[in-house]
Amino acid sequence: MKKIILLGATGSIGTQSIDVVLGHPNMYEIVAMAAGYNIEELKKIIRIYPTCKYYSVRKESDALALQAMYPNLHFGHGDDGLLGLLDVKADMVINALVGFAGLKPSLLTIEKGMVLALANKESLVTGGPLVKAALKKFKGTMLPIDSEHSAIFQCLQGNKTSEVKRLIVSASGGSFRDKTREQLVDVSVKDALSHPNWSMGKRITIDSATMMNKGFEVIEAHYLFDIDFANIDTIINKESIVHSLVEYVDRSVIAQLGTADMRIPIQYALSYPDRLPLMQSEPLDLIKVGMLHFDAMDFERFPLLALAYEAGKRGGNSGAILNAADEVAVELFLNEKITFLQIEECIAKAYETMEFIANPSYEDLRVTDEKTRAFVYEYGGK
Ligand code: NDP
Ligand code: MG
């Protein structure tokens, strides 16, 4: 029985993780769950998964109300509650938090000797070198949940990283893939939130439309697989069926295919190195799909992808600047304070303005995050 701590239980990846666990009740057990503000969703989860004893939420008032409602369970709150959950004895932590908030829990997971199943790509975007150093120091294990990275990870099985020529990270193109930059001027929040292939949390859906998400994934791939940025390419696969590819030195290219179902990469992280049947899932029917389309990535159409490569290569606190700027810019866009194209403008401005730190500590990254957020609220709020 593998014991699992689930961070971000009420989110898109969180709820799908619960679904995967419920499919194999004799193999996996969730022993602790962290949520944020969505208490109604958490109550629903407690109803369908009543055996989990330890919880954490953001607000103290929510924790107190839940404690009164469920006297046999334990509810913490705030950062202490979240980090305190990692004291519960477990084998694996699924980090499905969103944003910079995920970095500290990732580091602590490794420090405490638990396997890190990582959906929170921001851990690597903001603190890649810290995560790598912790993995080395504590001889830790990190497994990808992001679909592209799970695909690459699967394509690497049985092969040597030293024989990899390049990684090719797939992208669906996001909600506005068929629009020109001119057509992006007055797009609405609602349109930006309708992703053609995947149903995900709001931030990553917007990040897919701006291609910031793909930029983050390039940085994520660099740290997960130790591959130079020069050897990481991106490609558009409209159908989101070819989840990513690995080209080897002998020109052989291995790809992983599957339906657009995040439970596949979630379950692979849980079952690795084994494979298990995935409950209530549709098989991939390539005959029904008929054709797969591939397009080159246009770096002028998607300047944030180019900026992510640059930030990735510069290293230091660059990823923390990009991530914080994006977090706030997306929030301002969702609240209709800025337009879609101003997301890019806010991020580029923050990147050019914020102080660069070459070898940041966690505290430096936290301050970078705080200052960049304040800068973008000010800049975008004008
Ligand atoms: P959601 O917004 O759907 O969920 C985020 C979860 O984190 C929620 O449970 C939320 O709580 C919780 N949360 C957010 N901030 C905090 C905090 N400070 N403390 C405690 N809990 C917090 O996001 P997704 O599930 O879409 O994404 C999660 C991560 O996975 C992201 O890093 C994303 O990039 C990555 N990812 C997601 C994919 C997807 O298909 N959704 C695909 C690949 C990667 P609440 O809602 O209760 O406030
Ligand atoms: Mg992805």
Side-chain angles (χ1 to χ4, degrees):
M1 194 74 151
K2 210 178 251 181
K3 290 189 181 343
I4 295 168
I5 298 173
L6 176 58
L7 310 180
T10 42
S12 162
I13 294 290
T15 48
Q16 293 180 88
S17 300
I18 295 169
D19 210 33
V20 166
V21 167
L22 285 171
H24 304 283
N26 301 325
M27 299 187 71
Y28 305 115
E29 181 190 358
I30 303 176
V31 292
M33 294 194 218
Y37 300 98
N38 192 347
I39 304 307
E40 286 317 304
E41 184 64 34
L42 185 60
K43 285 185 198 163
K44 235 193 271 171
I45 291 171
I46 296 173
R47 269 199 299 279
I48 59 169
Y49 203 88
T51 49
C52 176
K53 288 234 156 11
Y54 297 94
Y55 298 87
S56 159
V57 293
R58 283 315 292 162
K59 289 198 301 192
E60 183 174 16
S61 55
D62 286 336
L64 291 172
L66 286 161
Q67 194 60 72
M69 197 176 297
Y70 306 99
N72 297 330
L73 308 179
H74 303 270
F75 294 89
H77 67 273
D79 288 343
D80 289 348
L82 172 65
L83 299 176
L85 279 191
L86 299 174
D87 288 330
V88 177
K89 224 179 132 24
D91 305 291
M92 175 183 268
V93 175
I94 298 179
N95 185 345
L97 296 169
V98 65
F100 181 70
L103 175 58
K104 194 69 170 282
S106 284
L107 294 170
L108 207 56
T109 295
I110 299 166
E111 207 177 301
K112 289 181 179 286
M114 294 180 280
V115 172
L116 175 61
L118 190 68
N120 179 260
K121 64 192 80 183
E122 296 91 334
S123 291
L124 291 174
V125 170
T126 62
L130 297 184
V131 174
K132 297 293 279 185
L135 286 168
K136 198 167 164 197
K137 182 169 172 193
F138 298 100
K139 297 189 174 44
T141 305
M142 167 170 64
L143 300 167
I145 283 184
D146 210 345
S147 57
E148 296 77 3
H149 304 76
S150 175
I152 292 168
F153 185 57
Q154 294 181 54
C155 297
L156 288 170
Q157 295 306 308
N159 294 291
K160 296 192 187 108
T161 309
S162 60
E163 291 166 0
V164 169
K165 190 158 169 57
R166 61 179 181 136
L167 307 180
I168 307 165
V169 181
S170 298
S172 67
S175 331
F176 299 138
R177 61 190 180 193
D178 299 321
K179 287 195 191 307
T180 62
R181 284 193 70 79
E182 291 67 40
Q183 290 170 328
L184 291 177
V185 172
D186 53 2
V187 291
S188 70
V189 169
K190 188 165 166 272
D191 290 343
L193 284 175
S194 20
H195 195 284
N197 305 342
W198 299 93
S199 159
M200 310 181 285
K202 282 186 180 172
R203 174 168 182 219
I204 184 174
T205 305
I206 303 299
D207 285 350
S208 299
T210 61
M211 218 46 92
M212 185 80 272
N213 180 54
K214 212 46 56 183
F216 287 163
E217 291 185 351
V218 166
I219 300 175
E220 183 184 10
H222 166 77
Y223 287 113
L224 269 167
F225 306 115
D226 285 319
I227 302 282
D228 281 354
F229 285 99
N231 300 326
I232 306 176
D233 287 336
T234 54
I235 195 168
I236 295 191
N237 169 227
K238 264 189 178 183
E239 291 82 9
S240 290
I241 282 177
V242 176
H243 294 305
S244 279
L245 314 89
V246 177
E247 182 182 327
Y248 288 90
V249 286
D250 62 357
R251 298 281 180 212
S252 188
V253 178
I254 303 185
Q256 187 260 347
L257 281 68
T259 54
D261 183 343
M262 278 310 294
R263 294 175 312 157
I264 300 173
I266 293 170
Q267 180 169 287
Y268 189 66
L270 264 55
S271 68
Y272 173 81
D274 301 323
R275 289 184 185 272
L276 295 170
L278 184 66
M279 302 303 167
Q280 287 157 350
S281 60
E282 291 293 315
L284 171 62
D285 185 344
L286 280 177
I287 297 184
K288 208 155 131 198
V289 174
M291 272 211 270
L292 293 171
H293 297 83
F294 297 96
D295 278 305
M297 195 60 85
D298 180 345
F299 285 86
E300 277 167 29
R301 166 70 177 74
F302 297 114
L304 288 180
L305 180 58
L307 185 60
Y309 269 98
E310 190 191 309
K313 287 180 203 158
R314 188 174 77 164
N317 65 340
S318 306
I321 296 171
L322 276 199
N323 173 67
D326 179 68
E327 246 176 79
V328 175
V330 168
E331 181 190 319
L332 292 172
F333 171 68
L334 289 172
N335 293 328
E336 301 185 334
K337 296 271 196 301
I338 61 172
T339 65
F340 183 74
L341 285 177
Q342 282 172 326
I343 298 175
E344 288 171 3
E345 186 191 322
C346 286
I347 298 171
K349 197 73 196 170
Y351 186 73
E352 143 197 335
T353 310
M354 303 313 294
E355 184 198 350
F356 174 64
I357 305 171
N359 290 303
S361 62
Y362 176 80
E363 183 54 18
D364 292 330
L365 293 175
R366 196 193 59 73
V367 173
T368 296
D369 182 73
E370 200 174 282
K371 285 188 177 166
T372 309
R373 294 174 66 89
F375 172 82
V376 178
Y377 275 123
E378 169 78 17
Y379 182 80
K382 265 190 231 157

